[in-house]
């Protein structure tokens, strides 16, 4: 996400899990941006075979409605003391019925491997459209490296009709929907060639 869409090196998450478990610490993953299929896996950490104690998800969970969730192991969730009527844990987007109904519909749509297969396929189309430009990320959560300043590129691309965000000083983040066509990817790549000639 805002850190530049940088993936940890192979084995790093397994090492982190081992260290936290040895220390008796809680292993928490923030998959608000990369979870729920964005990386081409239901959860990005699945690729490395690591199961966290806490998993934070959001953004696509509500299908456009504001909703987030924190999922935890029974042991971690049991650490909350019993309520005596006060709010032990609250959040801004706590349990709105319409957002929860939207989340159920989203989960139904992404259940099974077809959705993640489609995300991987569209991610490959995105990479193809950008040709030899250096990039990082997986699925439909990508960063494309550029020579010009990312903030200036973002503003110029907005003038050309494309919404992107900086992902570091010299890269832009791309998180397009799975419905994005090859032609739309190619149009964005062409606009980026105007903003940041190769």
């Amino acid at each position: 996400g805002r850190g530049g869409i940088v993936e940890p090196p192979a084995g790093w998450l397994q090492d982190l899990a081992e260290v936290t478990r040895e220390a008796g610490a809680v292993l928490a993953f923030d998959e608000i941006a990369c979870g729920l299929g964005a990386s081409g896996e239901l959860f990005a950490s699945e690729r490395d075979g690591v199961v966290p104690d806490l998993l934070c998800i959001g953004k696509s969970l509500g299908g456009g409605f504001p909703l987030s969730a924190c999922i935890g192991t029974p042991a971690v969730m049991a650490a909350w003391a019993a309520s005596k009527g006060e709010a032990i844990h609250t959040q801004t987007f706590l349990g709105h019925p319409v957002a929860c109904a939207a989340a159920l519909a989203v989960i139904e749509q992404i259940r099974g491997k077809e959705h993640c297969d489609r995300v991987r396929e569209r991610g490959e189309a995105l990479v193809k459209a950008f040709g030899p430009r250096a990039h990082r990320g997986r699925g439909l959560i990508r960063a494309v490296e550029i020579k010009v300043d990312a903030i200036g590129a973002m503003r110029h691309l907005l003038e050309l009709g494309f919404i992107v965000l900086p992902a570091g000083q010299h890269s832009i983040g791309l998180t397009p929907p799975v419905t994005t066509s090859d032609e739309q990817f190619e149009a964005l790549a062409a606009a980026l060639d105007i903003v940041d000639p190769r």
Side-chain angles (χ1 to χ4, degrees), residues 47-62:
R47 186 183 74 167
D48 297 309
V50 178
V51 177
D53 300 307
L54 283 175
L55 179 68
C56 299
I57 58 175
K59 293 198 188 270
S60 60
L61 177 63

Side-chain angles (χ1 to χ4, degrees), residues 122-187:
R122 298 315 306 144
E124 290 168 13
L126 173 64
V127 169
K128 181 180 177 187
F130 280 91
R133 283 189 184 270
H135 64 88
R136 55 189 182 273
R138 288 187 273 151
L140 288 171
I141 183 164
R142 303 276 180 163
V144 176
E145 296 179 15
I146 55 177
K147 296 181 296 297
V148 298
D149 177 70
I151 301 269
M154 174 192 72
R155 290 181 179 141
H156 195 172
L157 285 167
L158 184 59
E159 291 170 2
L160 296 173
F162 297 94
I163 300 172
V164 300
L165 291 173
Q169 186 175 357
H170 292 286
S171 59
I172 55 169
L174 305 174
T175 56
V178 73
T179 55
T180 306
S181 69
D182 289 355
E183 294 77 19
Q184 289 169 316
F185 286 146
E186 290 160 7

Side-chain angles (χ1 to χ4, degrees), residues 105-140:
V106 166
I107 291 166
E108 187 61 34
Q109 288 295 310
I110 66 173
R111 181 177 286 169
K113 70 183 237 36
E114 294 82 16
H115 176 73
C116 289
D117 288 346
R118 177 81 173 140
V119 168
R120 286 191 292 275
E121 182 270 323
R122 298 315 306 144
E124 290 168 13
L126 173 64
V127 169
K128 181 180 177 187
F130 280 91
R133 283 189 184 270
H135 64 88
R136 55 189 182 273
R138 288 187 273 151
L140 288 171

